[in-house]
């Protein structure tokens, strides 16, 4: 482009030189040297040429055999949608504990109409680990009445923590006492208790080859047992309550009325009172 511009200026200069050399322009003084006139017109021509708008290089067609002008790529930012946290609600008010089952301490609860964030699940899929709605930290929520919304596939899986040390140990050999509601002693029998989880089984040796069997469920705090008993003649419900470390109080029913049923071990002696409604 620069060469074309120079050639045009030179052509105009030569034309002006021959024109001015051969002609006397009207009103032009013969005292002005012809070289100065040519130089003047040359400068005016260059000025006129310089005032033209330059052609943008990016819009130019490439020279024959050349490559297309490069284009600057614009980065595209892909927006990732925010992942919704899984949330849980319940159809029935549900306790929240330090682990799965009533053997673990109660530390909160999720009520109908409340919602809590789910942070994990038990390895067996029976419990959700949630943000405790009642205090800081996490707790285990039974999934039976729970409904969860949101993605749960990537949630961490929790193994149950060690079971807490029971507040009362029921398993072992006891001496039991049956009394009327006035705590007047009726009979004394040996009883052997076995425990699997929270399942309670007791065998009472009534003498003469007779026995009674009591089965029930131990409470979450291990301080009571509720169930039923079956003997050679009678049967009915019973409830035992822990007392200290080596005694329990309680009551039972034999179909004809209530009576006290209590026990002791390790030389602790008969609890007083034995009957506890």
């Amino acid at each position: 482009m620069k060469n074309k511009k120079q050639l045009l200026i030179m052509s105009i200069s030569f034309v002006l030189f021959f024109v001015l050399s051969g002609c006397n322009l009207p009103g032009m003084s013969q005292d002005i040297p012809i070289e100065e006139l040519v130089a003047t017109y040359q400068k005016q021509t260059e000025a006129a040429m310089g005032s033209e708008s330059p052609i943008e290089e990016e819009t130019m067609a490439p020279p024959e055999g050349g490559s297309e002008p490069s284009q600057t790529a614009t980065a595209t930012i892909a927006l990732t949608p925010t992942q919704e946290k899984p949330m849980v609600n319940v159809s029935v008010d549900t306790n929240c504990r330090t682990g799965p089952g009533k053997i673990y301490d109660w530390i909160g609860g999720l009520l109908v109409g409340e919602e809590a964030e789910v942070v994990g699940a038990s390895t067996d899929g029976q419990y959700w680990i949630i943000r405790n709605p009642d205090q800081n930290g996490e707790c285990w929520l039974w999934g039976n009445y729970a409904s969860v919304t949101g993605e749960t596939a990537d949630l961490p899986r929790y193994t149950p923590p060690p079971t807490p040390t029971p507040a009362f140990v029921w398993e072992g050999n006891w001496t039991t006492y049956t009394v009327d509601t006035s705590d007047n002693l009726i009979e004394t029998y040996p009883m052997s208790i076995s425990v699997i989880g929270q399942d309670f089984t007791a065998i009472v040796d009534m003498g003469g080859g007779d026995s009674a069997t009591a089965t029930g469920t131990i409470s979450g705090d291990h301080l009571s047992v509720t169930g039923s008993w079956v003997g050679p003649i009678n049967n009915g419900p019973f409830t035992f309550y822990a007392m200290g470390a080596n005694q329990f109080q309680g009551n039972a029913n034999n179909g004809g009325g209530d009576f006290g049923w209590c026990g002791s071990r390790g030389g602790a002696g008969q609890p007083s009172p034995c009957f506890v409604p």
Side-chain angles (χ1 to χ4, degrees), residues 16-17 21-22 50 57 81 83 96 108 113-114 123 138 143 161 169 174 192 205 225 244 246 254 266 270-271:
L16 288 174
F17 177 80
S21 298
E57 294 295 335
Q83 182 68 42
C96 209
E114 286 187 323
T123 52
E138 303 168 353
V169 178
W174 297 79
S192 176
D205 184 358
V225 181
N246 293 309
N254 59 11
Q270 179 183 332

Side-chain angles (χ1 to χ4, degrees), residues 74-152:
T74 302
T76 301
I77 301 175
L79 298 179
T80 302
T82 302
Q83 182 68 42
E84 292 186 5
K85 296 177 181 178
M87 305 295 290
V88 62
N89 58 71
V90 292
S91 58
V92 175
D93 295 347
T94 305
N95 291 325
C96 209
R97 299 178 179 274
T98 57
K102 294 180 180 180
I103 194 172
Y104 292 89
D105 293 335
W106 177 92
I107 55 174
L110 190 63
L111 305 180
V112 174
E114 286 187 323
E115 195 173 43
E117 180 186 348
V118 180
V119 298
S122 62
T123 52
D124 62 4
Q126 299 298 310
Y127 284 80
W128 297 108
I129 291 76
I130 68 171
R131 301 282 185 200
N132 193 336
D134 297 315
Q135 56 181 293
N136 293 331
E138 303 168 353
C139 58
W140 291 57
L141 180 80
W142 189 31
N144 192 58
Y145 302 111
S147 297
V148 177
T149 57
E151 182 58 52
T152 61

Side-chain angles (χ1 to χ4, degrees), residues 250-275:
N251 64 76
N253 187 286
N254 59 11
D258 293 333
F259 62 93
W261 192 358
C262 57
S264 68
R265 65 183 173 189
Q270 179 183 332
S272 180
C274 177
F275 178 86

